[in-house]
C-alpha cells in the first residue's frame, strides 16, 4: 500500500508535460499557473486555478548557454532551458516575485523569450522591518488577486480564500507529521529520500488531492512494525533549492540518516502556518513577508534568525551534523555561509560544505560525505 | 590473526597485510579500468608475497575511490579516515596530513589520533598528481624524474596558472621564450605547492605535518611545500601505502569488535568470492 502511495510522488511530475494533475485540470478547462519562489499560491488556488511551482530539472543544459549567463544558478538556467524547449506549453501562465536578483532576471527572460499566454510579477519588499512593508505588500497581493479575477472573469471570495488557506495549511501540517515520523524518533520510519521527495513533489500537486495521499501514507507508516533503534549519525541538510534528491540517498548510503532540512524545497515550505482567523489577505501578507526567512531578504537580523532556525531544527531532530548543499552561484546563500558555518561550529555542531550544480557528482561527494559521517560516528 | 587493507586509488592500487605485530607485506600497482578484476589480482599477489591463503585473512577493509568495487571486503571506509589512521600509526604526533593523490588532494586535521576536519579539492585536477603527469608528458620526461630536475634550478620561471590545461599552454610559451626545462619545472612545482598550500590552509596547517600519496615521492614538490609551510615536513618511507595501512589497522580493530554471530555472516561473504572467482 505504502509503495502505491509513494508512486504518486514520482519526480517526473515536476515537469508540466508529464504531470497527471496538470493534464486533468487542463482537460477540465481549469487553468494551471506556474510560479516561482514565494508567490502566495493560496490566491491562485482560490481563483480555481492550479498553482504549480516551477522546479526545473537536473539534466545537462541544451539551450540556456546561449540565452542566460553562466553565473546564474543551475536552477534558473534549467528553467530557461525547459522553457525554450517548450516544456511550459502546458501552463496557462507564469507568476513571479522579486526574491533574489537571479529570479528577477529569470522572470524577465521568460517573459521576453517564451511563448506563455500570461505573465505577472509581484513586487515584494526586501526588508520586512520597514513600517510600510506590510501595507505595501498587502496592496501588491490585492493587486495580484484583482489580476486573477480579471484573468478568470470570476471574483475570489473571502470564503474561497479561507478554504484555500485551510487546504494548504492541512498540507503543511501533514508534511510536518511526515517529517516527525522520519526524524523525531530514534529510527526513521521512512527513508530520508522518500520524505524529501514527497515534500518536493507536493509543490506541484493540487492541495486537496495531496491531503488524501499524505494522509494515506501517514496511516500506512503508522501501521508498520517499528524497526530497532539506529545509531547511525543523524544529518540535517541546509540549503535553498535541492533539485537532485539523490544526494539524500547518498548520505544514507554513506552510513548516515537524513532527519531534517531547512530547504526552500523542503521544510521551509511547511514549518509555519498561515493564520486562519482574521482577514485572509492580511494573513497571507504576514506569512509570505515574515514566516519564510530567505537570505534574499535584507531585513535586519535575518542572518541571526536563520542561524537560530537551523540550531532549533538541529536540536529538535537531534541531528549530529549539518551538511550545507548550496547551489553554485547562489550569492544570497553563499554570502551567509561563512557566518552560519562559524557560528554552528561554535555551538559544537560539525559542518560539511558541498556545492551543487544541477546533478550531483556522486563519486566525489561519496568520499567527503563518508569521511564526514565517519567523524560523527 | 591477519588483516588486510586494500586501497584502490584513481591511479595506483595498494595492499597492506598485517598481523598484531606489524606490517607483513605491502604492494602497489597501477589501477586499470577493471577494478573488480584488479582487486582480486592484487590481493592474490600480496597473499603470495606474504605466504598466506585468502582464508587466513580475518578481516579486509577496502578504501580509495574504487572501494565499492571490492566484493570480498568486510567493510568500506573512506580514504580520508584511512590515511589519517595510517599516518597516525607511523607518526603519533601528527596534526596535519596532506595527501597528494593521482586525482585529488586532501588536507586532514588530526588531534589525539582522531580526525577533526578535512578539506578536499573539488571537480578539478589542479593541485593533484594528474597535473604533474600532464606536464611531464608535455616535456617528454619521466614522471619520477621531474621533481629532481626541478631542484637543479636557481631561478624558477614564473608560472601563474595552476589549471592543468592553462599551465600546459604556459609551459609551451616559456619553452618558446628559451627558458630552461629546470627553471620551468621549478616554477611549476612552486605553483602547485602554492595551490595545495592555500587549499590546506583552510583547515590550519600545524606541526607535525606529514605528506603522503604519490606527490610525496616528488622531492621538488615537497621542497616548495615546505618553503610555503615555513617549517620541516615529515614524509613516510613508503608514502603510497598509508591509506592501505590505515585500512589494515581498521580491519584489525573491526575484527576485534566482530561478534561470533557476525563471523557467520562473514563466511557467506567468502562464498561470494568463490562465485567471483568463477566469473573471472
Amino acid at each position: 500500500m505504502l509503495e502505491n502511495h509513494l508512486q504518486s510522488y514520482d519526480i517526473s511530475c515536476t515537469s508540466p508535460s508529464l504531470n497527471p494533475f496538470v493534464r486533468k485540470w487542463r482537460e477540465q478547462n481549469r487553468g494551471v499557473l506556474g510560479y516561482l519562489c514565494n508567490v502566495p499560491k493560496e490566491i491562485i488556488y482560490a481563483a480555481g486555478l492550479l498553482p504549480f511551482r516551477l522546479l526545473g530539472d537536473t539534466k545537462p543544459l541544451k539551450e540556456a548557454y546561449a540565452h542566460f549567463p553562466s553565473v546564474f544558478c543551475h536552477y534558473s538556467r534549467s528553467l530557461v532551458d525547459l522553457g525554450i524547449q517548450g516544456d511550459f506549453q502546458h501552463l496557462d501562465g507564469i507568476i513571479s516575485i522579486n526574491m533574489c536578483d537571479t529570479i528577477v532576471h529569470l522572470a524577465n527572460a521568460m517573459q521576453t523569450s517564451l511563448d506563455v499566454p500570461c505573465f505577472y510579477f509581484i513586487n515584494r519588499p526586501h526588508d520586512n522591518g520597514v513600517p510600510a512593508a506590510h501595507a505595501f505588500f498587502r496592496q501588491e497581493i490585492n493587486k495580484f488577486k484583482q489580476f486573477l479575477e480579471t484573468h478568470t472573469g470570476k471574483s475570489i471570495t473571502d470564503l474561497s480564500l479561507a478554504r484555500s488557506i485551510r487546504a494548504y495549511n492541512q498540507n503543511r501540517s501533514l508534511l510536518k507529521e511526515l517529517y516527525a515520523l522520519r526524524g523525531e524518533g530514534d529510527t526513521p520510519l521512512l527513508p530520508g529520500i522518500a520524505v524529501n521527495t514527497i515534500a518536493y513533489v507536493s509543490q506541484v500537486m493540487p492541495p486537496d488531492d495531496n491531503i488524501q495521499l499524505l494522509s494515506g501514507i501517514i496511516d500506512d507508516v503508522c501501521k508498520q512494525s517499528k524497526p530497532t533503534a539506529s545509531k547511525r549519525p543523524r544529518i540535517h541538510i541546509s540549503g535553498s533549492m535541492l533539485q537532485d534528491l539523490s544526494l539524500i540517498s547518498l548520505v544514507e548510503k554513506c552510513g548516515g540518516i537524513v532527519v531534517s532540512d531547512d530547504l526552500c524545497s523542503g521544510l521551509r515550505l511547511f514549518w509555519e502556518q498561515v493564520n486562519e482567523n482574521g482577514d485572509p489577505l492580511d494573513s497571507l501578507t504576514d506569512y509570505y513577508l515574515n514566516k519564510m526567512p530567505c537570505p534574499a531578504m535584507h531585513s535586519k537580523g535575518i542572518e541571526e534568525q536563520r542561524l537560530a532556525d537551523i540550531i532549533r531544527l538541529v536540536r529538535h531532530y537531534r541531528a549530529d551534523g549539518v551538511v550545507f548543499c548550496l547551489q553554485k552561484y547562489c550569492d544570497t546563500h553563499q554570502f551567509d555561509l561563512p557566518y552560519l558555518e562559524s557560528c554552528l561550529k561554535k555551538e559544537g555542531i560539525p559542518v560539511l560544505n558541498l556545492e551543487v550544480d544541477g546533478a550531483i557528482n556522486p563519486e566525489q561527494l561519496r568520499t567527503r560525505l563518508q569521511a564526514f559521517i565517519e567523524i560523527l560516528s | 590473526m591477519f588483516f588486510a587493507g586494500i586501497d584502490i586509488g584513481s591511479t595506483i592500487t595498494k595492499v597492506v597485510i598485517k598481523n598484531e605485530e606489524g606490517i607483513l607485506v605491502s604492494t602497489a600497482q597501477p589501477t586499470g579500468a577493471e577494478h573488480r578484476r584488479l582487486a582480486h589480482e592484487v590481493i592474490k599477489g600480496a597473499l603470495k608475497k606474504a605466504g598466506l591463503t585468502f582464508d587466513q585473512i580475518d578481516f579486509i577493509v577496502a578504501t580509495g575511490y574504487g572501494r565499492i568495487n571490492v566484493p570480498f571486503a568486510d567493510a568500506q571506509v573512506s580514504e580520508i579516515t584511512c590515511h589519517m589512521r595510517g599516518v597516525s600509526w607511523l607518526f603519533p604526533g601528527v596534526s596535519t596530513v596532506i595527501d597528494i593523490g593521482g586525482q585529488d588532494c586532501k588536507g586532514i586535521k588530526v588531534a589525539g589520533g582522531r580526525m577533526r576536519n578535512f578539506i578536499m579539492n573539488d571537480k578539478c585536477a589542479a593541485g593533484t598528481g594528474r597535473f604533474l603527469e600532464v606536464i611531464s608528458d608535455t616535456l617528454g620526461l619521466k614522471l619520477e624524474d621531474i621533481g629532481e630536475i626541478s631542484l637543479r634550478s636557481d631561478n624558477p620561471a614564473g608560472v601563474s596558472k595552476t589549471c592543468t590545461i592553462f599551465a600546459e599552454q604556459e609551459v609551451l610559451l616559456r619553452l618558446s621564450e628559451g627558458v630552461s626545462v629546470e627553471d620551468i619545472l621549478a616554477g611549476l612545482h612552486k605553483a602547485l605547492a602554492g595551490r595545495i598550500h592555500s587549499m590546506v590552509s583552510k583547515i590550519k596547517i600545524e606541526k607535525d605535518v606529514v605528506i603522503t600519496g604519490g606527490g610525496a615521492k616528488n622531492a621538488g614538490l615537497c621542497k616548495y611545500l615546505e618553503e610555503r609551510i615555513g617549517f620541516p615536513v615529515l614524509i613516510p618511507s613508503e608514502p603510497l601505502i598509508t591509506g592501505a595501512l590505515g585500512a589494515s589497522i581498521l580491519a584489525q580493530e573491526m575484527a576485534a569488535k566482530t561478534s561470533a554471530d557476525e563471523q557467520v555472516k562473514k563466511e557467506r561473504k567468502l562464498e561470494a568470492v568463490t562465485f567471483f572467482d568463477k566469473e573471472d
Side-chain angles (χ1 to χ4, degrees):
Chain A
M1 271 307 279
L2 180 60
E3 291 297 310
N4 289 346
H5 278 131
L6 290 177
Q7 271 171 16
S8 312
Y9 294 91
D10 193 273
I11 205 82
S12 66
C13 295
T14 59
S15 160
S17 56
L18 300 174
N19 186 305
F21 293 105
V22 170
R23 197 182 313 128
K24 192 172 124 193
W25 278 58
R26 300 200 74 204
E27 276 166 10
Q28 295 168 347
N29 283 325
R30 295 191 282 171
V32 180
L33 291 183
Y35 72 91
L36 299 166
C37 282
N38 264 351
V39 166
K41 51 188 178 287
E42 286 83 352
I43 305 178
I44 302 177
Y45 194 59
L49 304 164
L50 175 63
F52 182 99
R53 187 169 182 194
L54 299 176
L55 295 166
D57 67 15
T58 58
K59 293 194 191 89
L61 303 172
K62 288 180 188 157
E63 311 276 351
Y65 289 110
H67 297 265
F68 219 45
S70 54
V71 291
F72 287 170
C73 62
H74 177 89
Y75 166 65
S76 61
R77 286 189 290 151
S78 76
L79 284 175
V80 172
D81 214 60
L82 290 174
I84 295 169
Q85 289 171 47
D87 202 42
F88 302 154
Q89 288 164 11
H90 305 270
L91 299 176
D92 298 286
I94 291 177
I95 315 298
S96 186
I97 187 162
N98 64 330
M99 292 302 294
C100 63
D101 287 351
T102 301
I103 292 293
V104 177
H105 286 299
L106 173 65
N108 289 337
M110 292 204 290
Q111 186 161 12
T112 49
S113 317
L114 304 185
D115 186 22
V116 174
C118 115
F119 271 97
Y120 191 83
F121 189 87
I122 303 171
N123 281 300
R124 175 182 185 273
H126 270 128
D127 184 349
N128 63 8
V130 176
H134 183 95
F136 173 83
F137 193 43
R138 191 189 184 283
Q139 206 175 342
E140 274 294 304
I141 289 185
N142 195 37
K143 265 160 65 184
F144 176 50
K145 178 177 161 245
Q146 286 164 355
F147 166 80
L148 290 179
E149 287 173 330
T150 317
H151 180 75
T152 58
K154 279 181 275 181
S155 69
I156 299 171
T157 61
D158 275 1
L159 184 66
S160 64
L161 257 181
R163 270 196 198 131
S164 170
I165 290 173
R166 174 109 200 90
Y168 275 106
N169 271 347
Q170 273 179 283
N171 270 257
R172 291 185 182 104
S173 50
L174 287 167
L175 283 169
K176 208 167 173 176
E177 222 175 295
L178 205 62
Y179 265 57
L181 290 173
R182 176 180 67 169
E184 283 184 0
D186 285 333
T187 306
L189 301 180
L190 274 161
I193 178 76
V195 174
N196 273 89
T197 308
I198 292 167
Y200 193 76
V201 178
S202 287
Q203 304 173 87
V204 294
M205 303 264 258
D208 285 304
D209 297 76
N210 204 25
I211 289 169
Q212 303 296 322
L213 284 163
L214 287 172
S215 309
I217 288 177
I218 290 169
D219 283 349
D220 290 346
V221 174
C222 291
K223 276 184 221 145
Q224 280 179 357
S225 57
K226 288 200 173 158
T228 50
S230 164
K231 287 190 183 127
R232 302 165 82 188
R234 302 164 68 91
I235 304 292
H236 172 91
I237 304 278
S238 184
S240 53
M241 169 73 81
L242 180 63
Q243 293 176 285
D244 192 348
L245 294 171
S246 65
L247 186 95
I248 311 271
S249 313
L250 192 62
V251 169
E252 307 206 329
K253 275 184 206 151
C254 289
I257 46 177
V258 174
V259 290
S260 69
D261 67 64
D262 57 78
L263 301 168
C264 76
S265 54
L267 184 137
R268 264 194 265 166
L269 294 169
F270 61 78
W271 192 252
E272 303 274 358
Q273 294 260 312
V274 179
N275 179 17
E276 289 181 35
N277 306 312
D279 172 54
L281 287 191
D282 265 337
S283 302
L284 288 172
T285 306
D286 177 50
Y287 179 84
Y288 285 99
L289 197 57
N290 304 320
K291 295 288 172 63
M292 290 175 73
C294 170
M297 295 287 283
H298 296 175
S299 318
K300 197 164 178 279
I302 187 89
E303 298 93 345
E304 289 84 351
Q305 193 190 339
R306 285 195 61 230
L307 175 70
D309 283 347
I310 296 173
I311 293 175
R312 192 181 48 167
L313 290 169
V314 165
R315 304 268 185 259
H316 181 86
Y317 290 103
R318 292 173 290 128
D320 299 306
V322 173
V323 174
F324 279 96
C325 29
L326 304 187
Q327 291 262 351
K328 191 173 186 173
Y329 307 119
C330 177
D331 293 348
T332 54
H333 274 85
Q334 300 274 10
F335 274 132
D336 281 359
L337 185 63
Y339 167 76
L340 294 175
E341 202 179 340
S342 69
C343 292
L344 287 171
K345 282 183 177 163
K346 269 184 216 146
E347 287 284 321
I349 303 167
V351 174
L352 177 72
N353 227 324
L354 306 175
E355 196 175 57
V356 291
D357 188 19
I360 62 164
N361 169 6
E363 277 323 305
Q364 252 275 347
L365 295 186
R366 189 194 304 274
T367 303
R368 278 191 277 175
L369 279 169
Q370 196 175 349
F372 181 65
I373 289 162
E374 283 161 2
I375 292 182
L376 301 179
S377 319
Chain B
M1 289 174 87
F2 300 101
F3 317 99
I6 175 163
D7 175 6
I8 305 194
S10 65
T11 315
I12 300 177
T13 294
K14 289 80 67 174
V15 176
V16 167
I17 298 179
K18 75 186 286 293
N19 61 9
E20 289 89 343
E21 313 291 316
I23 302 175
L24 296 173
V25 290
S26 68
T27 62
Q29 67 183 85
T31 303
E34 288 187 74
H35 294 154
R36 287 175 148 263
R37 189 188 297 273
L38 188 76
H40 206 232
E41 288 303 312
V42 286
I43 197 106
K44 276 207 293 206
L47 285 166
K48 201 175 164 195
K49 213 168 145 188
L52 295 169
T53 62
F54 187 82
D55 295 339
Q56 284 175 280
I57 305 286
D58 292 278
F59 210 95
I60 301 174
V61 169
T63 186
Y65 101 109
R67 63 186 176 279
I68 50 170
N69 277 322
V70 185
F72 50 81
D74 299 295
Q76 292 155 6
V77 180
S78 76
E79 61 263 39
I80 297 179
T81 298
C82 287
H83 276 293
M84 187 275 297
R85 293 302 303 268
V87 173
S88 302
W89 193 75
L90 295 168
F91 303 96
V94 64
S95 169
T96 315
V97 182
I98 302 175
D99 176 58
I100 305 159
Q103 272 176 22
D104 56 40
C105 174
K106 310 172 192 85
I108 309 168
K109 207 63 199 286
V110 194
R114 278 183 68 90
M115 174 155 65
R116 297 296 171 197
N117 202 357
F118 66 90
I119 185 137
M120 189 172 161
N121 70 313
D122 180 7
K123 297 179 192 132
C124 171
T128 73
R130 186 66 75 213
F131 177 88
L132 294 173
E133 275 182 19
V134 168
I135 296 305
S136 61
D137 255 11
T138 307
L139 294 171
L141 295 166
K142 278 192 192 156
L143 178 64
E144 42 286 24
D145 296 338
I146 56 171
E148 291 295 336
I149 297 172
S150 77
L151 293 176
R152 290 183 216 145
S153 160
D154 306 319
N155 182 25
V159 175
S160 54
K161 311 285 195 300
T162 47
C163 163
T164 308
I165 305 299
F166 290 160
E168 194 181 357
Q169 291 173 348
E170 210 168 346
V171 166
L172 296 171
L173 180 69
R174 293 282 172 271
L175 282 172
S176 69
E177 287 168 0
V179 179
S180 75
V181 170
E182 288 92 47
D183 290 349
I184 291 174
L185 280 174
L188 284 165
H189 282 80
K190 214 173 154 178
L192 181 57
R195 160 100 189 184
I196 296 169
H197 177 259
S198 62
M199 186 191 88
V200 182
S201 292
K202 287 183 195 162
I203 57 164
K204 215 172 167 204
I205 301 176
E206 286 170 318
K207 263 187 183 173
D208 292 347
V209 176
V210 179
I211 304 181
T212 64
K217 291 201 144 192
N218 181 311
L221 180 57
C222 292
K223 180 196 147 196
Y224 287 112
L225 253 177
E226 207 163 52
E227 260 174 30
R228 282 298 290 259
I229 292 170
F231 53 80
V233 298
L234 303 169
I235 297 164
S237 55
E238 279 291 350
L240 288 181
I241 61 148
T242 49
L245 172 62
S248 69
I249 294 166
L250 283 162
Q252 185 175 350
E253 281 180 14
M254 288 176 179
K257 280 187 204 150
T258 310
S259 65
D261 278 3
E262 281 162 321
Q263 287 288 350
V264 178
K265 266 190 223 158
K266 220 184 90 186
E267 293 300 320
R268 283 202 292 275
K269 275 190 185 162
L270 285 174
E271 281 169 29
V273 178
T274 328
F275 169 67
F276 183 72
D277 254 340
K278 280 177 194 157
E279 206 181 37
D280 247 13

